[in-house]
Amino acid sequence: MAEIASGAAATLLANLAAKSFQEIALACGLTDDVKKLQSSLRIINAYLLDAENKKAKNRSIVEWLKQLRDAFDDAGDILDEIEYEAKRNKVVKLYGSIGTKVHRFFSYKSNPLSFRIRMAQKIRDMNLKIDVKTKEGKNMGIVEQHVNTPIVEHSIPWRETSSSLPLRVCGRHEEKEEIIELLMGQHSEASNVDVVSIVGIGGLGKTTLAQMVYDDYRVTDHFNMLMWVCVSDDFDVKMLIQKIIHAASRTKNVVDANSSLEHMVSLLNEKLYGKKFLLVLDDVWNENHNKWDEFRNHLLKAGSHKGSKGSKIIVTTRSHKVVDIVGGGLLINLEALPEDECWKLFVKCAFQEESEEDKYPRLKQIGVEIVKKCKGVPLAITTLGSLLKSKCHDENEWRKICDSEVWKLDQEETGILPSLRLSYNHLPTEVKQCFSYCSCFPKDYEYEVIELIMFWTAHKLLQPIHEDEDAEDIGELYIRKLVSVSFLQIEGDFKYPISFEKLKMHDLVHDLAKLTMNKSSKIRSIVQEGEQETSAEWTSNKFKYMESSSLLDDFFDTMKKHLRYLNLKHPPTLEKYPYSICKLQNLQSLNLRGHNKIRTLPKNMKYLISLQYLLWRVKATSLSSMNIERFQQLKFLYLDGCSELVSIPSAVGRLTTLKKLMIHWCNNLVSFEDEEEEEEGKEHVAVHNLNLQLFSISGACKLKALPNWLERATKLRYLGIQGTSIKSFPTRLPMASLEQLHISICSELSSLPDYMDQTHSLQYLSILLCPTLSQKYNKRTGPDWGKIAHIPRCQIDERPT
């Protein structure tokens, strides 16, 4: 709890010190009050380390820390209110009224003096509360301590794209072969569907083993259909059938949760009719016999056709009672990993190269002791090995972990492996907070990198240290750190751009994140994934899952001061956005992917002056009504599947804060509007160099030219072009900073940009399915190969046309 409170205090201090907030405080006349709050926070923060060391022996300290964390949340709410009123006042100055019918007497706009007095009093009350908590802490024997905590190195090169934790699997080959043999035979006369149960304690690798079987070519050849469904804590029969239908269809939203069970079962019958299928039910906890019988009966009905004979279900579970309920008698009781396989796994995780452990005999000796303490649990070995790898062969650090008191904690009380606690303890405070917030999502959730970054940003967890950094850089860094210690998992390696890479979290790691999480008082994020019911852990005061598919115009009124992240990614029937969305002056991230029916945009989106991330799918033919040039803080713009969009406004080329622009599958896109033609007859508009670092466009087969404003993208590092009809590059395309250039399916393109022989930063060039380019630049016979021969990594498709 102390590290949670410490992280909250550090976040508050960083927010108070931020240049943007300092400017707001100055404008509101609150500078002195803010300085006093900063001082109080610094003082109490020094007591939190000692509180962490003493809390296990004093329950009063645990309660003290909880109250302190609540106070920090309240302080964050005060900052939200100050920021909101300042930004709202700015909007009113720029555009006039924003639709509020009655001016509030205490608002910054209508009565700045009263607002300042009210906010100053709130800050003074908060100072007093924190001072009282400091005195209470002293009375409980907590003393002031200053210590250097681990920090995350922020200077990782931009083009470092590989994960430090590739997929590691050791052992389990005998168990794998045993399961495959069970799947190939028919063992039950009473039913067409046999059940194979894999049971064992958490972290033994049940899911990994099931995945090895699921991916084996013999299994994929044997079954007509393979489906994988994560079950976890909630065994709701209707929701489970919905998940199976989606798994069989390989897509979401085939059927929504409002459909009747009868309709779902009918659709399930249709999907599975005559198919010999394999269904994996991963992480089953249901110990209710009636629920299993109901589910099994529906599945047996779907698999009753003679063509379904030989279908199988694999169940993974930690509970032997679950095994008794699902029955079938086909059981794999997963035991601890053999000692030799444990050591192989540890070496893969803890050392850079094969046989490197022999160079460090003392580390090897300590490593053997650590592996024994992991008791044959692969997850424990993987997380600790990954942690030790980050310690750079420091013998003292290895010994500290080996001798830690954490090994003596009773795992039975919380279900958390000591190795996970150790890995968590060694995370930097700011990364701990981000990790804890991952528990706001349900178990088995598939995170997207950009989604986590937007979520963390909304809760002010990503604070730049240097002026040239931004939240996305830091978020990517923290994600790499969490992957490196196995707290997040990725298939294969990171590939830039990593924005839409998929990540998962082991259910035991999720339990740890949930244990370290603290509830908060205000909603700062809303996510809508569809129209399905959700478990309680998916909904909290800090994070709201939204069910409704039609939103009233005043929907966002009550949360307008605090909402920073709005994700309406998969509402299938939403036909318009509520007007109140334009009142969200603190909104930073807006994800509107998945809106296939929306043709009109809400008026006055220009009021969203804090917007930094915009991900959008809309049926509109034009974006002119959104006044995109007004988004003066926009850093990330993603247009995905805007199937009727014809042109991109030239205003995009004047967004000097924009760092990433991605335009994917806008099939009718014809052009980027020309700045000179658009501004003809208007006053001259000053143009500046852009901060754009990434430009990616794909699936725009009608597009014949890239925008001329790319010539001002002097910091461009990544350029990706796929599936277009462009014939040439802009004449003065900046090449000095370019590091990656990817071109594919552009048959009209006849030449690379000028000055390719001067691209000293370019590390990777790929040309695929572009016949003219491939002939011109191939290594053996291409007349222009010499212009690109200096590039370290060239991938040229040399197949004959």
Side-chain angles (χ1 to χ4, degrees), residues 5 9 50 64 77 123 142 189 226 240 258 278 308 333 371 392 429 448 467 479 492 545 622 634 694 732 788:
D50 192 47
W64 178 80
D77 293 343
I123 295 174
I142 303 172
E189 296 298 329
L226 281 79
L240 197 53
N258 294 326
L278 172 64
S308 299
N333 200 343
V371 169
C392 301
T429 299
E448 279 184 343
E467 282 193 8
I479 285 170
Y545 187 102
S622 171
L634 196 65
L694 179 147
R732 296 183 295 276
I788 63 171

Side-chain angles (χ1 to χ4, degrees), residues 67 107 136 157 169 277 373-374 409 419 465 483 493 624 713 757:
Q67 293 173 7
S107 75
E136 288 178 1
V169 178
F277 62 82
K373 293 185 177 186
C374 291
L409 294 176
S419 61
I465 294 177
V483 168
D493 293 338
S624 57
D757 53 349

Side-chain angles (χ1 to χ4, degrees), residues 419-434:
S419 61
L420 298 184
R421 289 181 177 273
L422 278 166
S423 293
Y424 174 78
N425 291 345
H426 282 76
L427 287 175
T429 299
E430 59 270 30
V431 181
K432 283 180 179 176
Q433 283 201 103
C434 291

Side-chain angles (χ1 to χ4, degrees), residues 130-248:
I130 292 174
D131 290 344
V132 167
K133 289 298 167 191
T134 303
K135 291 175 184 176
E136 288 178 1
K138 290 178 181 178
N139 292 337
M140 287 187 287
I142 303 172
V143 297
E144 190 174 354
Q145 288 189 16
H146 296 274
V147 68
N148 292 327
T149 56
I151 60 172
V152 182
E153 177 56 54
H154 280 225
S155 58
I156 288 183
W158 179 89
R159 59 178 169 266
E160 182 184 319
T161 58
S162 63
S163 162
S164 57
L165 185 66
L167 183 64
R168 296 171 177 127
V169 178
C170 284
R172 305 303 189 200
H173 297 295
E174 291 182 10
E175 293 92 337
K176 173 187 171 184
E177 293 302 318
E178 185 179 353
I179 295 172
I180 291 176
E181 186 176 338
L182 292 174
L183 294 179
M184 298 300 183
Q186 181 68 25
H187 303 273
S188 172
E189 296 298 329
S191 165
N192 282 339
V193 183
D194 289 315
V195 180
V196 179
S197 299
I198 306 174
V199 64
I201 64 170
L204 277 181
K206 300 181 293 297
T207 299
T208 301
L209 175 59
Q211 190 72 57
M212 290 165 62
V213 171
Y214 190 83
D215 293 337
D216 190 277
Y217 73 93
R218 291 167 290 178
V219 172
T220 57
D221 288 346
H222 184 74
F223 293 97
N224 304 129
M225 179 177 288
L226 281 79
M227 298 165 289
W228 185 290
V229 173
C230 297
V231 182
S232 289
D233 302 326
D234 186 18
F235 195 92
D236 180 274
V237 173
K238 186 177 175 183
M239 184 184 295
L240 197 53
I241 290 175
Q242 181 191 25
K243 287 183 176 180
I244 294 171
I245 292 170
H246 289 162

Side-chain angles (χ1 to χ4, degrees), residues 608-630:
L608 303 180
I609 60 173
S610 299
L611 203 61
Q612 298 178 26
Y613 297 85
L614 177 57
L615 292 77
W616 209 355
R617 176 178 295 172
V618 69
K619 273 194 173 289
T621 58
S622 171
L623 303 180
S624 57
S625 64
M626 66 185 289
N627 296 300
I628 201 167
E629 67 274 11
R630 303 291 187 180

Side-chain angles (χ1 to χ4, degrees), residues 763-774:
Q763 299 294 309
Y764 191 10
L765 168 66
S766 67
I767 301 174
L768 303 174
L769 300 176
C770 303
T772 304
L773 285 184
S774 296

